[in-house]
Amino acid sequence: MNGRGSGLSGEQIEFLLLLSRTHSLTRTASALGLSVATVSRMLGAVREIFDDELFVRSGNSMAPTRRMTALVPKLERARAVIEDLVSEEYFDPANIHRVFHLMMNDNAFVTLLLKALPAIRRRAPDIRIRVMPPDGSLIEHLRSGRLDLAFFYDPDGNPLPADIHGQQLFASRHVVVVRNDHPLASCPGPVSEEEVRAYPLVSLRLPDYRGESTVEVMHRTEITTNAGIYVETPYFVTLPFALLESDAYAVMTRELAERFAAWMPLKILDVKLDPDSPLRERWNPTVIWHSRSNDDHQLQWLRAAIVECFQERRRNGEES
């Protein structure tokens, strides 16, 4: 920073994060309810604060500089702290008596919501969370107010719509899982993908809802089998039961595999990855919400509580 009025306001933090997603001053201005001239002046002010262009014109879009790209995770953490402070200022979480509606699949329920729920309920014992299954209308539900929050992942990293905000929780990857007494489970070292392909696959096939990207993700991450499909299922939580009854393998997120292995006789295989291995596909879950809820202090607190749970994971070095 240049030392000249180096303080950064919450509004400027929100502006920078939004522009980093939209790459458009016009769309950013629309999402913030401001004029393009106003956000242009705001960009000039933050450029002075950081003594960096932050965004440069690239065709019809605003491309972030290397400095801006490095700032994004820091700004996300700062926003979470501000939201937590603001929500604490307005109310005691113990006084929340409300039903929150969240959309997620069963993988996110097991690995994300259940991870954060104990800490949330300790501070807000009367909170109620109602989970809705994906139906292809996630963005529309957030805009209409039917949904408060959702867990989301786009493998292609496409920007969210200008009126939808998001914060990545952590970065992870996919793994191969088999039953404990599977022939590959006793191998002394890493197994090759070719060895895995010799066994049938328990394949996850989610409903092909328009606008959902999860189906494509699972197609990408499954190692192609040479022994055929053992069974296809639309539910993550059915995967371990199929594995326990067969010599099949399944591909799932590391977090889900660890939860299953803690309760069932299952093993995460140590697989030597091919250079173009589908297992190199990352899983970067994000919590998303509509800009309308930025003034909802109860929802701010819930978001901050979820984010804090996984920031603790980051601080402890638990990311895959």
Side-chain angles (χ1 to χ4, degrees), residues 256-307:
L256 187 62
E258 290 173 345
R259 293 299 294 268
F260 286 154
W263 293 95
M264 301 179 186
L266 297 171
K267 181 174 181 178
I268 300 173
L269 289 181
D270 182 7
V271 179
K272 183 178 180 180
L273 302 184
D274 294 342
D276 59 348
S277 173
L279 292 180
R280 296 186 184 275
E281 182 78 40
R282 303 294 289 177
W283 182 53
N284 306 321
T286 299
V287 60
I288 65 173
W289 64 93
H290 190 269
S291 57
R292 167 196 317 104
S293 67
N294 286 340
D295 294 328
D296 184 333
H297 302 298
Q298 293 186 355
L299 191 52
Q300 283 182 16
W301 177 84
L302 178 59
R303 287 201 313 262
I306 292 172
V307 170

Side-chain angles (χ1 to χ4, degrees), residues 23-318:
H23 304 287
S24 165
L25 284 174
T26 301
R27 288 164 58 194
T28 299
S30 176
L32 294 173
L34 301 172
S35 68
V36 174
T38 298
V39 296
S40 294
R41 288 194 295 272
M42 196 177 295
L43 178 58
V46 293
R47 280 171 168 169
E48 285 192 18
I49 290 174
F50 288 102
D51 195 20
D52 187 87
E53 285 295 294
L54 298 179
F55 293 90
V56 295
R57 180 68 62 181
S58 177
N60 293 324
S61 68
M62 300 291 288
T65 63
R66 184 174 299 179
R67 176 78 184 281
M68 182 62 217
T69 300
L71 282 172
V72 167
K74 298 178 182 179
L75 293 172
E76 287 179 338
R77 290 195 293 271
R79 178 175 63 185
V81 170
I82 291 171
E83 289 180 346
D84 190 40
L85 289 172
V86 170
S87 58
E88 290 286 352
E89 180 78 16
Y90 279 83
F91 69 94
D92 181 351
N95 294 326
I96 298 178
H97 304 276
R98 176 175 169 183
V99 178
F100 292 95
H101 296 82
L102 280 68
M103 182 170 281
M104 67 193 76
N105 58 34
D106 53 342
N107 171 44
F109 181 89
V110 172
T111 60
L112 302 178
L113 181 60
L114 291 186
K115 178 79 172 178
L117 198 55
I120 291 170
R121 290 193 58 83
R122 276 195 299 271
R123 300 187 61 194
D126 292 326
I127 200 172
R128 286 182 59 194
I129 293 179
R130 184 170 296 158
V131 175
M132 301 169 61
D135 64 0
S137 300
L138 171 59
I139 301 301
E140 290 81 355
H141 290 325
L142 286 169
R143 285 172 172 159
S144 70
R146 186 178 178 218
L147 271 184
D148 295 304
L149 294 173
F151 291 121
F152 176 80
Y153 168 55
D154 182 349
D156 296 316
N158 295 313
L160 291 166
D163 57 338
I164 303 297
H165 302 262
Q167 184 161 357
Q168 181 178 314
L169 299 176
F170 58 87
S172 187
R173 63 185 184 90
H174 296 80
V175 296
V176 176
V177 181
V178 296
R179 57 183 170 84
N180 270 350
D181 54 353
H182 188 282
L184 292 178
S186 58
C187 292
V191 299
S192 68
E193 291 189 23
E194 193 59 34
E195 289 176 292
V196 173
R197 292 190 184 97
Y199 294 90
L201 169 69
V202 177
S203 182
L204 189 71
R205 288 295 180 267
L206 301 178
D208 191 12
Y209 295 124
R210 182 177 58 84
E212 295 294 321
S213 60
T214 314
V215 178
E216 183 182 356
V217 175
M218 297 317 298
H219 277 261
R220 291 184 185 185
T221 57
E222 289 180 343
I223 297 177
T224 305
T225 175
N226 295 328
I229 301 296
Y230 182 74
V231 67
E232 292 186 359
T233 174
Y235 308 111
F236 287 89
V237 294
T238 61
L239 295 175
F241 298 98
L243 296 179
L244 293 174
E245 301 294 333
S246 69
D247 279 344
Y249 67 92
V251 176
M252 62 189 79
T253 63
R254 172 170 287 280
E255 287 67 28
L256 187 62
E258 290 173 345
R259 293 299 294 268
F260 286 154
W263 293 95
M264 301 179 186
L266 297 171
K267 181 174 181 178
I268 300 173
L269 289 181
D270 182 7
V271 179
K272 183 178 180 180
L273 302 184
D274 294 342
D276 59 348
S277 173
L279 292 180
R280 296 186 184 275
E281 182 78 40
R282 303 294 289 177
W283 182 53
N284 306 321
T286 299
V287 60
I288 65 173
W289 64 93
H290 190 269
S291 57
R292 167 196 317 104
S293 67
N294 286 340
D295 294 328
D296 184 333
H297 302 298
Q298 293 186 355
L299 191 52
Q300 283 182 16
W301 177 84
L302 178 59
R303 287 201 313 262
I306 292 172
V307 170
E308 174 59 26
C309 172
F310 296 102
Q311 286 183 340
E312 184 68 27
R313 167 195 170 104
R314 284 178 168 180
R315 287 193 290 270
N316 292 338
E318 297 176 25

